[in-house]
Amino acid sequence: MTVPHDVTQALPQELLQAAGSGDDRLKLLDDPREWTHFSHAESADTCASSVVFEGMHCTACAINIEDALRQVAGVESVQVNAATHRGRVVWSHRMTKPSEWMSAVAQAGYRAVPANDAHAHERRRQEARRMVWRLAVAGLCMMQVMMYATPAYLSKPGDISPDMLGLLRWASWILSLPVLLFSCTPFLKAAWRDLRQRQISMDLPVALGMLATFVVSSLGTFEPEGPFGAEVYFDSLTMFVFFLLAGRWLELRLRDRTAGALEAVLNRLPDSVLRRTAHGDWERISVRRLALADVMAVLPGEALAADGTVVSGQTQVDEALLTGESRPIGRGVGDRVIAGSHNLSARIEVRVEQLGAATRYAQIVSLMEDAALSKPSMALLADRWAKPFLIFVLLAALAAAAHGWSAGPAHAVMVAVAVLVVTCPCALSLATPAAMLATAGALARSGVLVRRLEALQNLARIDTVIFDKTGTLTLDAFELARTLVRPGLSQAQALAWAGTLARQSLHPVSRALWAQARRRAMALGPRALSELEASRASEVSEQAGQGVSGHLLRSDGSTQTLRLGSAAYCQAPATDANRLQVSLADETGWLATFELRDEVRPEAAAVVQSLLAQGLRLQVLSGDAPAAVAQVAQSVGIDLHQGGCTPQHKLAHMVALQQQGHQVAMVGDGLNDGPVLAGANASFALGQAVPLAQSKADFVLMGSHLGMLLETFKRSRQTVRVVKQNLLWAAVYNAACVPLALLGYLPAWAAGLGMALSSLLVVLNALRLSQSLPDPMGAALASESL
């Protein structure tokens, strides 16, 4: 199964309109041609689908959705993130279909839509408008009810006649009806859903508190002489409804600035493009209909929908997300442009060369969706206690009501209401994910992709950093300094064979050899270049840290087995050199040795000094010759270094450090250091050539500047500080307010205000992390700010 050409376009609206009912619309997604637009193959029988859940508000909602999906036969695993409202469902297409597990979500009271649904944004806007109307109605009625309640609070006994007091109560009751029937709708619907499904979420205790307050106050209005007639609480009802709605609305707006920053990165492609027809006219089509070799027009301000080559026009493009380049880049005729980048200045025409999964943007989307679904250990702890805590809240409210019943039924009920509202653990459930997702969004906009949110926690505890040399401390480009060949073999022929084999590898050294071979062939003439590009190696295999081997077809029809890599791998003769050496061998033995000149990154020394100033231990482990490794390590200021290391040696060295109690971060090229990157407490892959889908790193630096390493370390520590501040605030808030509510000293309106403010404070604190990182060109020199 393959990912479709368009990774952001949902099911066509005309098909949805023609489908009719909701069940019929869901069944449209059962067509494999449709479900592949939001799914990819996990194995021969299973698919992983990315979906967004509408109608959820808290961690308990996420748990309810996961429970509902796990009960569907054929659903193998589920992950739902309460902060992003996104989920990942792994299911067997032999046992179930998308309509079946989406229907299970609907029966649980929520709605699952493809993560790339083009109309989800419009539905969110409509829901936001309805929330504003509910908030406005609650606010207007609250002010009027407070105006009617003020005389009763300020007057002395006998100042207001019973008839006038009754009239004020009836007026307050009438004004509270729109609040209950309209403004409280989200809370009441969610509570009714919970009761029908025999589950619990944070809306249930809030809705019970609203209904109890209205019922008690209504009884006091209808029967002033009855057990509940001493006082009415319409003012408390309208106030805490207003506060809760205001808090939820502001929280939604702020979530768009934190978790929404990550969402914006995932939805950069346009819904439609201008395509040139066979007659030379232009037509606007859905991105899903775009095909290879089509020519599309990209207007200023639009995003590119596919990778391709500019065939007309000249402009500036923004590629910050995809390449880490923070400045606009000039692109003209013959230049390549990439999907997801933005056209900034002028119209261009682009011939489409890559679509869908073949684009780098699609790989970035897949990686970032994994990050948006991951849950740090602190968030998992909050999830684990969310439901038991809500059950405790209900029991505590009952106990408080029973204890206060002797002071009067109305007083007892209002004490229970205050407990129900004030103990709702919204702030606790938001404390960790809000901060983590704000940081992930800011890093993504600055060219650092976060694969696991847990790594942000781990990075803050790192005390040892291990660097690879090639392509990490040195630039991802090499110059051929010298070529040694076996007698009877020309340097040109040896380089051509090496280049043909190196062409199959993504390692920086292999790319350099292929580039040198092409450059040498171009100098010899068009025929030599054509022969080189036509040559192919078969049965190519690569051994991490050693080299690459394969069969090369000779001109006489026979095949030649070649090896390209380290001296030990090719059994090459030993030579004394401080440069990087790559050897070539065939069945008979050594053929050639290529000495490559690499250049240390200009910012490497400053970055190393900044890391050392933070008290970190730095080491260099490389598979290159010890002399070459020592030269680079000493030039940047790292004393501990070791050359001639295989990936297994690197892994063993790192495990030994971890067993000694060290927290280790690995910085490599992301290609041949997979086991080390996966085993490190935190890991970075550097370079634009990293195959994102295969990378084992926790962080991928999309640009080519080590300065972003410093900024990521800095932001991880800030993130952990903010998470601890949020958790501390949530704990202090509950420790202070819960006893007051239990003792009856906290009115319902104050409980609602406290709950709303606690959640807002957590999100506002996390919002500080959503600011984009500074330009990496200056990051390496900003160590004093760390």
Side-chain angles (χ1 to χ4, degrees):
M1 185 183 301
T2 58
V3 179
H5 291 336
D6 175 22
V7 296
T8 64
Q9 184 71 16
L11 201 62
Q13 181 66 4
E14 57 268 20
L15 288 180
L16 290 178
Q17 291 174 345
S21 68
D23 290 341
D24 291 336
R25 294 183 182 185
L26 289 181
K27 288 180 180 178
L28 286 174
L29 298 175
D30 292 344
D31 187 337
R33 292 172 298 180
E34 298 299 340
W35 85 50
T36 53
H37 290 290
F38 60 96
S39 309
H40 66 271
E42 283 278 297
S43 65
D45 297 330
T46 59
C47 303
S49 297
S50 298
V51 289
V52 172
F53 296 100
E54 299 178 351
M56 62 178 293
H57 302 289
C58 64
T59 299
C61 293
I63 296 173
N64 292 336
I65 292 172
E66 290 179 348
D67 291 342
L69 285 169
R70 289 192 180 104
Q71 294 175 8
V72 178
V75 172
E76 298 188 358
S77 66
V78 185
Q79 286 179 291
V80 181
N81 191 298
T84 61
H85 298 186
R86 300 178 71 89
R88 183 174 183 267
V89 184
V90 178
W91 51 282
S92 170
H93 57 78
R94 298 186 186 276
M95 299 179 62
T96 186
K97 293 292 184 288
S99 63
E100 296 177 7
W101 51 262
M102 286 186 174
S103 296
V105 174
Q107 291 173 7
Y110 306 91
R111 180 178 182 181
V113 298
N116 47 28
D117 189 349
H119 307 286
H121 180 67
E122 180 60 28
R123 286 196 298 270
R124 285 196 298 268
R125 288 183 59 187
Q126 293 175 359
E127 179 59 30
R129 292 193 195 101
R130 287 193 291 268
M131 188 175 293
V132 171
W133 274 107
R134 293 188 183 104
L135 178 62
V137 169
L140 180 63
C141 293
M142 176 194 69
M143 290 187 289
Q144 293 298 317
V145 170
M146 286 299 299
M147 184 174 67
Y148 295 145
T150 300
Y153 287 136
L154 299 181
S155 62
K156 298 178 181 179
D159 288 351
I160 302 179
S161 65
D163 292 340
M164 181 58 67
L165 189 61
L167 180 62
L168 293 176
R169 288 187 176 185
W170 275 104
S172 299
W173 181 80
I174 292 172
L175 287 170
S176 297
L177 284 176
V179 176
L180 181 72
L181 300 178
F182 178 66
S183 297
C184 293
T185 301
F187 304 101
L188 298 178
K189 282 185 176 180
W192 177 244
R193 173 199 67 208
D194 290 345
L195 293 174
R196 285 191 296 110
Q197 299 295 326
R198 297 180 180 178
Q199 60 192 22
I200 188 171
S201 71
M202 294 180 189
D203 284 332
L204 180 59
V206 172
L208 290 176
M210 293 173 178
L211 287 174
T213 305
F214 183 79
V215 169
V216 167
S217 300
S218 296
L219 291 175
T221 302
F222 298 158
E223 298 182 11
E225 303 300 326
F228 297 97
E231 190 175 356
V232 295
Y233 304 94
F234 294 117
D235 53 340
S236 294
L237 171 66
T238 55
M239 285 179 71
F240 83 71
V241 169
F242 174 77
F243 290 143
L244 291 178
L245 285 173
R248 182 164 289 186
W249 179 73
L250 289 173
E251 183 183 316
L252 178 65
R253 296 293 301 271
L254 293 173
R255 192 180 70 85
D256 289 338
R257 299 274 301 277
T258 54
L262 204 61
E263 192 82 11
V265 172
L266 297 176
N267 295 281
R268 290 170 66 97
L269 298 194
D271 298 331
S272 61
V273 295
L274 284 172
R275 181 181 66 178
R276 189 166 65 192
T277 66
H279 303 291
D281 301 326
W282 295 93
E283 61 176 351
R284 184 162 289 277
I285 63 169
S286 166
V287 175
R288 296 173 63 188
R289 294 173 55 193
L290 203 59
L292 296 176
D294 282 348
V295 175
M296 62 179 179
V298 186
L299 304 178
E302 290 184 346
L304 277 80
D307 294 352
T309 300
V310 178
V311 296
S312 177
Q314 188 168 355
T315 188
Q316 299 278 319
V317 296
D318 175 11
E319 298 180 352
L321 168 67
L322 302 122
T323 66
E325 176 56 59
S326 59
R327 297 174 178 81
I329 303 171
R331 290 288 185 262
V333 176
D335 293 334
R336 283 186 54 81
V337 287
I338 49 182
S341 58
H342 279 91
N343 182 14
L344 299 178
S345 57
R347 172 188 168 120
I348 55 173
E349 296 176 11
V350 178
R351 178 176 290 107
V352 176
E353 296 176 348
Q354 298 285 354
L355 286 166
T359 65
R360 189 167 180 81
Y361 174 77
Q363 298 178 27
I364 292 174
V365 166
S366 177
L367 186 148
M368 295 185 65
E369 283 180 340
D370 290 343
L373 291 172
S374 63
K375 295 181 180 180
S377 57
M378 288 187 282
L380 289 173
L381 182 63
D383 289 0
R384 191 177 303 118
W385 287 100
K387 272 195 172 183
F389 185 79
L390 288 173
I391 295 173
F392 166 77
V393 167
L394 296 177
L395 296 177
L398 288 174
H403 181 266
W405 196 263
S406 59
H411 173 76
V413 171
M414 293 312 295
V415 169
V417 168
V419 172
L420 287 173
V421 175
V422 80
T423 53
C424 198
C426 292
L428 185 64
S429 66
L430 286 170
T432 300
M436 294 286 183
L437 289 165
T439 296
L443 289 172
R445 291 195 303 272
S446 301
V448 181
L449 300 186
V450 182
R451 196 183 189 95
R452 293 188 311 115
L453 295 182
E454 177 78 14
L456 288 170
Q457 289 179 215
N458 296 341
L459 190 60
R461 300 192 296 265
I462 292 298
D463 58 35
T464 303
V465 181
I466 298 176
F467 286 92
D468 184 28
K469 181 186 79 72
T470 305
T472 304
L473 291 175
T474 61
L475 291 173
D476 195 10
F478 302 87
E479 292 292 333
L480 184 59
R482 188 171 61 148
T483 303
L484 304 175
V485 296
R486 188 170 66 185
L489 180 65
S490 69
Q491 293 185 4
Q493 184 63 70
L495 184 58
W497 287 348
T500 301
L501 196 55
R503 187 179 186 180
Q504 311 298 318
S505 171
L506 288 174
H507 193 278
V509 173
S510 297
R511 294 199 306 272
L513 282 175
W514 169 241
Q516 293 289 341
R518 288 191 79 253
R519 192 176 300 122
R520 178 71 63 88
M522 290 174 64
L524 295 176
R527 182 178 178 181
L529 179 61
S530 177
E531 291 177 353
L532 176 66
E533 293 185 339
S535 63
R536 288 289 186 275
S538 61
E539 299 182 28
V540 176
S541 64
E542 187 167 2
Q543 295 188 24
Q546 296 294 319
V548 60
S549 64
H551 299 298
L552 192 66
L553 183 64
R554 289 174 172 169
S555 57
D556 59 3
S558 62
T559 59
Q560 179 183 19
T561 302
L562 294 176
R563 285 189 172 197
L564 179 69
S566 66
Y569 183 65
C570 298
Q571 298 180 351
T575 59
D576 295 328
N578 290 331
R579 296 193 181 104
L580 173 64
Q581 293 184 337
V582 183
S583 297
L584 178 70
D586 63 4
E587 305 95 328
T588 62
W590 173 79
L591 290 175
T593 295
F594 307 96
E595 291 186 4
L596 298 174
R597 182 189 303 112
D598 54 358
E599 183 180 352
V600 176
R601 293 182 181 274
E603 76 278 9
V607 169
V608 166
Q609 293 305 312
S610 297
L611 293 174
L612 290 172
Q614 298 173 45
L616 297 175
R617 298 179 58 204
L618 305 185
Q619 301 182 19
V620 179
L621 299 180
S622 175
D624 296 344
V629 174
Q631 183 180 13
V632 170
Q634 292 169 5
S635 67
V636 298
I638 300 179
D639 296 329
L640 299 176
H641 49 80
Q642 186 175 346
C645 297
T646 65
Q648 292 74 22
H649 292 152
K650 294 181 184 179
L651 181 60
H653 183 83
M654 185 192 67
V655 169
L657 289 173
Q658 291 172 329
Q659 290 175 347
Q660 295 171 15
H662 293 290
Q663 299 289 314
V664 183
M666 177 68 191
V667 186
D669 58 21
L671 296 169
N672 61 356
D673 292 324
V676 192
L677 293 172
N681 301 101
S683 55
F684 293 82
L686 183 71
Q688 300 178 18
V690 176
L692 297 179
Q694 302 172 17
S695 174
K696 303 298 182 183
D698 300 318
F699 303 91
V700 179
L701 306 185
M702 300 298 294
S704 57
H705 202 284
L706 278 177
M708 294 311 301
L709 186 68
L710 291 176
E711 288 300 321
T712 307
F713 267 96
K714 175 182 177 182
R715 190 56 64 93
S716 72
R717 292 165 185 159
Q718 292 175 341
T719 301
V720 171
R721 283 199 299 269
V722 167
V723 168
K724 290 180 178 179
Q725 291 167 1
N726 287 347
L727 292 174
L728 178 62
W729 161 250
V732 170
Y733 159 75
N734 281 282
C737 293
V738 171
L740 293 176
L742 288 170
L743 295 174
Y745 296 134
L746 191 70
W749 66 266
L753 178 61
M755 174 187 166
L757 289 179
S758 65
S759 298
L760 283 178
L761 183 61
V762 164
V763 179
L764 281 171
N765 196 28
L767 186 61
R768 297 187 297 133
L769 299 169
S770 65
Q771 299 176 1
S772 297
L773 277 64
D775 191 321
M777 295 301 292
L781 302 176
S783 61
E784 65 275 5
S785 66
L786 299 179

